[in-house]
Structures are given as C-alpha cells and as structure tokens.
Amino acid sequence: SPFNTRRRIMDLINNEIELQKKGKPGSIILKLNNLVDTGMINKLYEASKAGVHIQLIIRGICSLIPGVVGMSENIKVISVLGRY
C-alpha cells in the first residue's frame, strides 16, 4: 500500500478524465483521512476542469478548496469532523 496506492489512485483519476473527454460520464468518490498532497490535489483540480464530478469524504485536514469557478466547481467536500 505505501508504494503503489498513490500511483493507482492517480491512474484511476486519469481514467475518469479520459472517460469525460470521450463524452461519457466521469465520476470520483474518495474517502480519505486527510488530503494535503499537492500532487493529488492538482490532479483532482485537473479532473474537475475536465468536467468529472468529484465527491470527497474527508475525516481530517483537507487542503483542497471546493467550488471555485474554473478550477473546482465540480468538487464537493464532506467533512466528517466539521469545518475549522
């Protein structure tokens, strides 16, 4: 898991981006403890810009900013702990 999980998730996000570009519906649901990895956040922004609908369920810290027009309008974040 520590060696392949990040790469596998990136591959799955890329797959959803490609589906969306082909005119098929792309969708991502991720449940994570924290989201602070800048590479992962940038990939999710890229997917949002491509039109992929993304729902994130985060238990702890989330550095991604949802709902920004032109960047993350297709991303919704649910915080299990609430907003700080």
Side-chain angles (χ1 to χ4, degrees), residues 12-60:
L12 291 169
I13 294 170
N14 284 329
N15 185 53
E16 295 302 312
I17 292 170
E18 290 303 315
L19 284 173
Q20 191 70 34
K21 288 181 179 178
K22 292 178 181 177
K24 299 177 182 178
S27 176
I28 297 170
I29 299 174
L30 279 174
K31 182 178 180 182
L32 305 166
N33 287 330
N34 297 299
L35 181 57
V36 294
D37 182 89
T38 55
M40 183 71 64
I41 291 169
N42 289 333
K43 183 57 76 173
L44 289 168
Y45 285 151
E46 179 184 338
S48 175
K49 289 177 190 176
V52 177
H53 293 281
I54 302 166
Q55 182 176 5
L56 303 174
I57 304 162
I58 309 294
R59 289 183 57 194

Side-chain angles (χ1 to χ4, degrees), residues 70-82:
M71 185 172 79
S72 61
E73 68 266 10
N74 291 316
I75 301 175
K76 293 182 182 176
V77 177
I78 297 171
S79 174
V80 176
L81 298 176

